[in-house]
Amino acid sequence: VTRSAFLIELARGADALAIAELSRDSIEHGLGWRWTRDRVMSCIRDQSTNVIVARRTPSAAGNVIGFGIMRYQQRSDDETAHLLLFAVAPAHRREGIGSALLAWLETTALTAGTGVICLEARLANGEARAFYRHHGYCERAQVRAMYRGVEDGIRIAKDLWVNASAASRTSS
Ligand SMILES: CC(C)(COP(=O)(O)OP(=O)(O)OC[C@H]1O[C@@H](n2cnc3c(N)ncnc32)[C@H](O)[C@@H]1OP(=O)(O)O)[C@@H](O)C(=O)NCCC(=O)NCCS
């Protein structure tokens, strides 16, 4: 297996369509396409949302092989970030790209003083559930018909502060 060299950086406007298409094909299949180019573009422009991409290297612009969209809660008393959308292109899975994207988002959340990352996934999405479990996320609740009223979902979260202090305890 040849592993791709890749880099992670903030998305640019020119990436919006590639991100939207990856969402349509990898995340929203069977549910209709709601994360369109315009919606992704508004996230890229939104101050309280991080949109990041993984690109194949060496690369000029383009070559999006994975992405993550994370929104910080607006309320000052609620220190959580919501991972809205996250995917790696099928040809590049199991190469550590998802882990690298997630690590970037977790580090950024911690730096911003945000202690909890929450997200939802389809209940039937075993690969995503395994991926988040691998990274210390906990499954909190199942929700019937979470997706467009037809498909069950699961709420997943990670307390970054608990995990960060546990990690520093084990390394000291
Ligand atoms: C979930 C997803 C983002 C993982 O990305 P990835 O780049 O393949 O993940 P990584 O290579 O960093 O995997 C890290 C670890 O997670 C676990 N994991 C990842 N994919 C898995 C799978 N299909 N089955 C079981 N475990 C898996 C493994 O422990 C893996 O480590 P290993 O490869 O050494 O065994 C990717 O499968 C994906 O895009 N899926 C479709 C979209 C989606 O479900 N998005 C999330 C919900 S919004």
Side-chain angles (χ1 to χ4, degrees):
V1 181
T2 313
R3 290 193 161 227
S4 316
F6 62 92
L7 63 81
I8 291 172
E9 62 182 9
L10 290 171
R12 307 165 204 169
D15 299 319
L17 181 60
I19 292 170
E21 288 177 343
L22 203 45
S23 174
R24 179 194 62 197
D25 299 341
S26 284
I27 300 173
E28 300 185 274
H29 46 87
L31 296 173
W33 192 15
R34 294 214 178 158
W35 283 91
T36 57
R37 178 184 169 282
D38 286 354
R39 191 164 172 203
V40 172
M41 188 69 88
S42 67
C43 287
I44 292 173
R45 294 196 179 120
D46 178 21
Q47 298 279 355
S48 58
T49 306
N50 284 146
V51 184
I52 58 169
V53 290
R55 296 184 205 283
R56 224 180 270 127
T57 55
S59 87
N63 280 326
V64 173
I65 54 174
F67 74 93
I69 301 181
M70 185 174 74
R71 176 170 295 154
Y72 292 91
Q73 301 289 355
Q74 304 282 1
R75 300 205 321 266
S76 58
D77 61 336
D78 186 358
E79 290 162 339
T80 66
H82 198 147
L83 188 50
L84 298 174
L85 220 55
F86 191 90
V88 172
H92 294 280
R93 291 186 190 157
R94 302 305 284 268
E95 296 180 10
I97 296 170
S99 298
L101 285 162
L102 196 62
W104 193 105
L105 293 168
E106 290 184 356
T107 302
T108 305
L110 272 173
T111 307
T114 297
V116 177
I117 293 181
C118 58
L119 63 106
E120 288 98 42
R122 292 179 179 200
L123 193 62
N125 189 349
E127 59 186 24
R129 291 172 66 181
F131 171 76
Y132 291 118
R133 199 178 313 120
H134 176 83
H135 287 289
Y137 285 70
C138 299
E139 299 193 338
R140 295 266 171 92
Q142 292 188 16
V143 183
R144 187 173 286 278
M146 175 187 272
Y147 292 95
R148 323 276 149 94
V150 293
E151 196 168 326
D152 297 344
I154 186 149
R155 291 192 201 284
I156 299 174
K158 180 174 179 180
D159 187 324
L160 301 175
W161 286 328
V162 167
N163 282 272
S165 58
S168 65
R169 270 200 305 278
T170 35
S171 64
S172 59

